[in-house]
């Protein structure tokens, strides 16, 4: 995938605002965002680019580090969007 810093910033804003981009426009539904943060039964804590878990104070969290070389800082979102029950 090829993207710009601006595109990635808009994507992270949408991840933290229920699918709304920087200007408030919907770029994904809240359900889609929730599904992106919901691990599959076979993956443990991995959910479409996001690792799910808890903070040291037992608050839910999601984080992503990507696969860049050299490694880049992790982007952490606390708490993650609500998971969608199936």
């Amino acid at each position: 995938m090829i993207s710009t810093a601006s595109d990635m910033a808009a994507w992270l804003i949408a991840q933290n605002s229920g699918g709304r981009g920087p200007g408030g426009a919907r770029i994904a539904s809240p359900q889609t965002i929730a599904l992106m943060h919901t691990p599959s039964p076979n993956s443990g804590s991995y959910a479409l680019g996001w690792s799910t878990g808890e903070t040291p104070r037992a608050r839910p969290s999601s984080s992503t580090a990507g696969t860049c070389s050299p490694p880049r800082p992790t982007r952490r979102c606390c708490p993650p969007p609500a998971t969608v029950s199936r």
Side-chain angles (χ1 to χ4, degrees):
M1 170 172 55
I2 298 174
S3 185
T4 66
S6 179
D7 289 342
M8 294 306 294
W11 186 244
L12 286 172
I13 289 168
Q15 294 291 316
N16 288 319
S17 62
R20 294 199 180 271
R26 172 127 351 253
I27 61 174
S29 72
Q31 295 84 4
T32 297
I33 298 297
L35 283 171
M36 289 179 190
H37 291 256
T38 303
S40 75
N42 299 326
S43 69
S45 65
Y46 185 76
L48 198 59
W50 296 89
S51 294
T52 60
E54 291 185 342
T55 68
R57 293 185 176 191
R59 290 186 60 209
S61 71
S62 294
S63 62
T64 185
T67 56
C68 298
S69 186
R72 296 186 183 187
T74 297
R75 168 70 173 110
R76 186 168 293 277
C77 304
C78 300
T83 57
V84 174
S85 60
R86 294 179 186 191

